[in-house]
Amino acid sequence: MSQNGKHRQISKNITYYALLGLHPSASVIDIRRAYLQLSKQYHPDTTELPATVATAKFQQINEAYATLSNPERRLSYDVKIGYSRFGVIQAPTDLNHPVGKPYDFSKSMYLDASDRPLSAGEIFVLFFLVLTLVGCVLVAIAVAVIRGETSIPTQLSQPQITHISQLPTPAEMKINLNL
């Protein structure tokens, strides 16, 4: 193994992903978590392993993390090891294991996913919504009463008109409107 190689594998069978215990599709967060855990485990100052073994392992972990945490380096490394995130769909690693059965909704006590009891939070929100609606109606009634407006117009008793001659003249209508 060359110590100066930027994008090299640790050995023929161990990739940087295997060294960190990850799948090549691991996220940046997963890579960081694995690195932090392994660096605590193999740091020469904190491990019980011999100093030479711990130092070598710690350097390998640092090299793997330096490559996989940099997007450009990681892409180059993935091409080198033959892993592609794009284009071809990668086969799952557990091809010999059957795929889990989908959930059978016919055995559920609810016929539909939306047919379920309301949670406490949903009940609280509905209660608050009804309370707000009632409050708005009460405020509207209070404003109408304060202004002196009636919400239901009252019918004034007017004499029944049976002939056209009984209609008021425009002058009489003007007087009635001014009252």
Side-chain angles (χ1 to χ4, degrees), residues 10-176:
I10 302 301
S11 72
K12 288 185 178 182
N13 295 331
I14 299 176
T15 63
Y16 288 154
Y17 294 107
L19 181 67
L20 295 177
L22 299 170
H23 187 269
S25 65
S27 69
V28 176
I29 294 171
D30 293 335
I31 292 170
R32 181 163 175 78
R33 283 184 188 150
Y35 168 73
L36 290 174
Q37 181 183 6
L38 291 171
S39 65
K40 287 177 187 175
Q41 183 178 353
Y42 290 107
H43 193 278
D45 294 339
T46 60
T47 187
E48 296 177 5
L49 294 172
T52 56
V53 173
T55 303
K57 188 74 169 174
F58 188 70
Q59 286 175 348
Q60 290 175 344
I61 292 168
N62 280 336
E63 184 179 335
Y65 179 70
T67 300
L68 298 180
S69 63
N70 183 318
E72 292 86 21
R73 285 175 153 182
R74 183 177 181 185
L75 184 61
S76 174
Y77 180 75
D78 287 346
V79 169
K80 185 176 181 177
I81 65 170
Y83 177 76
S84 174
R85 282 184 235 308
F86 314 105
V88 180
I89 297 174
Q90 299 293 319
T93 56
D94 56 349
L95 284 175
N96 295 329
H97 296 78
V99 177
K101 294 179 183 176
Y103 182 74
D104 186 11
F105 286 102
S106 65
K107 295 180 181 176
S108 174
M109 74 185 252
Y110 306 113
L111 299 176
D112 187 8
S114 63
D115 181 25
R116 59 174 178 73
L118 297 175
S119 70
E122 292 167 331
I123 291 172
F124 175 75
V125 169
L126 286 174
F127 172 74
F128 204 71
L129 184 66
V130 169
L131 191 65
T132 303
L133 181 66
V134 169
C136 288
V137 169
L138 291 176
V139 167
I141 291 171
V143 168
V145 168
I146 290 172
R147 286 182 159 183
E149 299 172 5
T150 58
S151 60
I152 302 173
T154 56
Q155 191 93 9
L156 296 175
S157 60
Q158 294 181 2
Q160 203 138 31
I161 300 173
T162 56
H163 191 269
I164 195 160
S165 64
Q166 294 176 335
L167 288 174
T169 62
E172 291 174 344
M173 287 177 64
K174 190 175 183 183
I175 294 171
N176 288 339

